[in-house]
Amino acid sequence: MRHPDYSADGAAMQPSSGFGEGWAGTLLQIATTRDLVLTMVLAVVFYAFYYPLPYRQQATQSVPVIVVDEENTPATRALAQALGDTREVAVAGTVADYASAVQAVKHRQADGIVLLPAGLTRALAAGEAGAGVGVWMNGAYLTRASAIGSAVKAVVLDAVRREAGPLADQIHRQAPAELVVRPLFNPVEGYASYVYPAVSLLILQQTLLFGSAMLIATRRRAGRLACTPGYFLGTLSALVCVGTGAAAFFFGWAFWAEDMPRTLQLGHLAWMVPLYAATVASLGMAIGSYMPAPERAMMWLAPTSIVLFFMTGAAWPLDQMPRLTAWLAQLSPATAGVQAFVPINQMGASPADVARWLTLLAVLFAVYGAWASWRLCGGRRTLPPSGHIDSTSIAR
C-alpha cells in the first residue's frame, strides 16, 4: 500500500505530480535555497578558477640550486652560468665540495644540488652526454625535480654539441644527434594542463551529486519525498539542466580563460554532457532519499572527493590498480567521465574511441535512475516533518 506525504501540520496529502511542476519546482527550490545555490552554482564558479590558480605558471621557475664545481675550469663555470640562464633554475651559489652544498640545502638556502665532477670537461669532449653530472632535489617537490633534471640535461647536451661537434668533424665522425620532442596534447608540458581537465569532471560530479542529494533530503525532511513518475522526471530534468549548464561553463568559458588544451567538439558534447549529468543526478537523488537532513548528505559525501579522484584513472592507470579497486572505481560516474571526456575534449577523439566508457555511463544511468525512481516513486514511506519522526521512518 502506498504511504502518503505529510503536510506541515502532520495531515496526509497526495504526492507531488506532473513533469512541469517537478521541473519548475526544482529550479525554484534550487534558486531560493542558499545551501543549494552555494553548492550547485557558486561552488562551480569558485572551483573553476580556484583550483588551477596554484598551477597558473604551468612550469617550474627559478628553483634555487647550489652548484658543486669540483673541476673549476672555464668549461664547468660556463655550464654553471648556463644553468642560471634557464627558466627552471636560479643558481644560489657555487661551492667546491658536496658537503658544503648539503649544508646549504639543510639551511634552506637552496632546494637542490647540481654536481659538476672533476673530469667533466674531458667527458664532454669525448661526446659522453651528461657523464658524471649529478642532481639532488628536495624530495617534497617531485615536479621540481623533474624540471631541474630536464634543464640540466638540456644544458649539458648543448655543451656536448659545442665541444664534441668540432672534434667529430676532425676525426670524421658524426656529431651527436639532436632529439626534438614536441608534446602532442599538452604543448606547454604544464601540470595544470594535465590535471585540470580531469579534475573538472570530478568537480562537476561532486557539486551536482551534493546538490541533488541535499535537494531530495530536504524534501524528505519536509515529508515531500514521494512523487509520481512525471514529477520525478521533471526533477531529474531540472537537475540535468543545472549540471549541463555547469559543464558548459567549465568546458567553454573556464577552459578558455585558463588556456586549457581543448577541441570543442560541440556536436559530441551536446549529448554526452546531459548523459553524464543525468547519471550523477540520479545517483544523488537515490542517495538523498536515505538522508534525514541535507546536512547529513553533505557530511557523508564530502570526504569522498579525494578518493574518487584517485580512482578516476587520471593519477594512476586503472589497469595498474588492484582488480577490486578498479571495479569499484567504475561505480563512480566521474571515472567513466574522465576516461571519455578528456580524450574528446583534449585529444580530439571520437565517441567510437571511448565507446566503452560511454556505454558504462549509460548503464550507470539506467541503474541509478531505476534506483532513484524506486525510492521516490515506489511507494516507500516518507519521512514526516519535525515532530512526527519515528525510528521506522528514519530506517527507511
Side-chain angles (χ1 to χ4, degrees), residues 83-121:
L83 279 174
D85 292 338
T86 65
R87 177 187 62 183
E88 294 86 355
V89 177
V91 177
T94 302
V95 297
D97 61 284
Y98 180 75
S100 299
V102 172
Q103 291 301 315
V105 172
K106 287 184 177 180
H107 289 90
R108 299 183 179 276
Q109 297 173 5
D111 286 333
I113 301 171
V114 176
L115 172 65
L116 305 179
L120 179 61
T121 302

Side-chain angles (χ1 to χ4, degrees), residues 325-342:
T325 303
W327 185 86
L328 291 174
Q330 296 181 55
L331 297 179
S332 168
T335 299
V338 168
Q339 299 298 325
F341 280 88
V342 171

Side-chain angles (χ1 to χ4, degrees), residues 288-361:
S289 68
Y290 293 92
M291 301 295 171
E295 297 82 7
R296 192 70 60 85
M298 180 63 77
M299 180 182 71
W300 282 101
L301 293 174
T304 64
S305 298
I306 297 297
V307 176
L308 291 179
F309 172 72
F310 284 105
M311 295 178 74
T312 60
W316 191 260
L318 286 169
D319 59 3
Q320 299 299 311
M321 295 181 186
R323 183 170 300 179
L324 178 60
T325 303
W327 185 86
L328 291 174
Q330 296 181 55
L331 297 179
S332 168
T335 299
V338 168
Q339 299 298 325
F341 280 88
V342 171
I344 294 288
N345 269 337
Q346 275 68 52
M347 302 179 184
S350 69
D353 297 322
V354 293
R356 171 194 171 189
W357 300 106
L358 293 175
T359 301
L360 176 60
L361 268 181

Side-chain angles (χ1 to χ4, degrees), residues 362-372:
V363 171
L364 291 178
F365 171 51
V367 173
Y368 295 150
W371 180 18

Side-chain angles (χ1 to χ4, degrees), residues 9 13 46 54 84 106 118 137 216 232 303 308 316 334 338 350 375:
D9 59 2
M13 64 182 187
F46 175 76
K106 287 184 177 180
M137 288 297 300
I216 300 303
F232 169 80
L308 291 179
W316 191 260
V338 168
S350 69
R375 286 292 299 173

Side-chain angles (χ1 to χ4, degrees), residues 42-220:
L42 296 183
V44 172
V45 177
F46 175 76
Y47 281 110
F49 299 103
Y50 168 78
Y51 188 87
L53 187 61
Y55 315 109
R56 185 154 291 174
Q57 288 184 334
Q58 290 275 30
T60 302
Q61 295 185 5
S62 301
V63 177
V65 300
I66 296 294
V67 175
V68 180
D69 188 355
E70 294 182 342
E71 187 175 288
N72 194 25
T73 62
T76 56
R77 289 195 293 270
L79 278 176
Q81 181 177 353
L83 279 174
D85 292 338
T86 65
R87 177 187 62 183
E88 294 86 355
V89 177
V91 177
T94 302
V95 297
D97 61 284
Y98 180 75
S100 299
V102 172
Q103 291 301 315
V105 172
K106 287 184 177 180
H107 289 90
R108 299 183 179 276
Q109 297 173 5
D111 286 333
I113 301 171
V114 176
L115 172 65
L116 305 179
L120 179 61
T121 302
R122 184 182 69 255
L124 292 177
E128 301 173 10
V133 176
V135 179
W136 289 265
M137 288 297 300
N138 186 335
Y141 304 102
L142 297 180
T143 304
R144 287 185 175 187
S146 175
I148 299 305
S150 298
V152 171
K153 178 181 177 181
V155 169
V156 172
L157 285 177
D158 183 66
V160 168
R161 284 191 291 270
R162 292 197 311 270
E163 298 290 339
L167 179 62
D169 292 337
Q170 295 175 11
I171 62 176
H172 305 290
R173 291 175 53 191
Q174 185 178 0
E178 181 178 358
L179 178 65
V180 178
V181 178
R182 298 186 185 279
L184 185 57
F185 302 121
N186 186 355
V188 298
E189 297 186 87
Y191 182 73
S193 298
Y194 149 67
V195 73
Y196 183 63
V199 169
S200 65
L201 270 300
L202 183 65
I203 292 173
L204 291 172
Q205 170 178 294
Q206 297 301 86
T207 52
L208 183 57
L209 184 71
F210 296 168
S212 302
M214 293 168 63
L215 175 82
I216 300 303
T218 300
R219 292 179 180 179
R220 182 178 189 221

